[in-house]
Amino acid sequence: MEKILVEVSARHIHLSRADMDVLFGEGSELHPIKYLSQPGQYASEEKVTLKGPKGTAGVRVLGPLRKETQVELSLTDARSLGVKAMIRESGVLDGTTGGLTVVGPKGEIALDRGVIAAKRHIHMTPADAEKFGVNNGDVVAVKVVTDGRSVVFADTVVRVSDSYSLAMHIDTDEANAAAISGTAEGEIVAF
Ligand SMILES: [Zn+2]
């Protein structure tokens, strides 16, 4: 079976147009510094500070702008900030909590929702899905073999779109659990 590239997402934020205006100024734009594996997605020059009840953390803004602001934390990040992060797929924010203040160079916003720990997932094209014998929304297990800390990641959601390219995304806690630094390779297995 073909191996899947496993990439690690550090904590980050996606911003809405309205929140971008408040944090960076009316009509401000993001400045891409690094394009990510998913077409059109990038890390920007722009950073903000998250303030929680127990601590603060700097995060990079990922572009492009989205319909709604979303903060993606590891559960360790959430604990040190003193907030709750529900495990959710990106963009599925109903019922999520906030509790963070986002501080930018031009202003700040108080979030009352949109703080999540991203549910681990695999992006794939329809052709990839056919090859792996899976469908959009399927939940699979992915085995990642590392030096002394191999892990099978169950509860991994398959997300299929023409606009994706094949890659699995995990957060820094998940990466640390498997001693992954940089990227790794995974394989869908029966679980
Ligand atoms: Zn992803």
Side-chain angles (χ1 to χ4, degrees):
M1 184 72 88
E2 192 188 338
K3 295 284 207 291
I4 296 167
L5 171 70
V6 179
E7 298 177 310
V8 182
S9 304
R11 61 174 181 257
H12 62 269
I13 189 168
H14 300 277
L15 294 175
S16 66
R17 178 69 262 173
D19 289 344
M20 180 81 193
D21 285 342
V22 173
L23 296 169
F24 290 95
E26 193 78 27
S28 55
E29 294 296 339
L30 294 173
H31 298 86
I33 52 169
K34 186 186 173 210
Y35 279 86
L36 306 174
S37 67
Q38 300 310 305
Q41 305 294 306
Y42 58 85
S44 78
E45 220 168 79
E46 283 69 23
K47 287 179 174 176
V48 294
T49 300
L50 305 176
K51 276 192 191 162
K54 286 192 178 164
T56 64
V59 288
R60 199 168 284 286
V61 182
L62 296 199
L65 296 174
R66 295 214 180 168
K67 206 160 57 183
E68 187 173 355
T69 292
Q70 170 177 310
V71 176
E72 294 183 43
L73 302 174
S74 72
L75 296 180
T76 299
D77 295 327
R79 180 174 295 225
S80 60
L81 287 163
V83 294
K84 203 173 153 188
M86 296 177 103
I87 295 165
R88 288 298 184 90
E89 282 186 60
S90 185
V92 183
L93 303 182
D94 283 350
T96 58
T97 50
L100 291 173
T101 301
V102 184
V103 183
K106 292 280 166 61
E108 57 182 64
I109 51 171
L111 290 181
D112 58 3
R113 63 182 239 153
V115 177
I116 65 168
K119 196 167 171 67
R120 50 186 172 248
H121 56 277
I122 308 170
H123 297 274
M124 52 173 85
T125 63
D128 294 323
E130 202 177 324
K131 204 161 47 187
F132 289 109
V134 296
N135 294 298
N136 186 47
D138 281 0
V139 176
V140 298
V142 177
K143 182 168 124 183
V144 178
V145 175
T146 61
D147 188 12
R149 264 202 168 185
S150 301
V151 170
V152 175
F153 290 106
D155 293 321
T156 302
V157 182
V158 172
R159 295 167 58 187
V160 180
S161 166
D162 278 324
S163 64
Y164 288 156
S165 82
L166 184 63
M168 174 167 170
H169 287 159
I170 59 175
D171 71 18
T172 48
D173 280 355
E174 294 167 314
N176 286 338
I180 296 167
S181 62
T183 58
E185 281 188 330
E187 187 183 354
I188 295 177
V189 292
F191 182 76

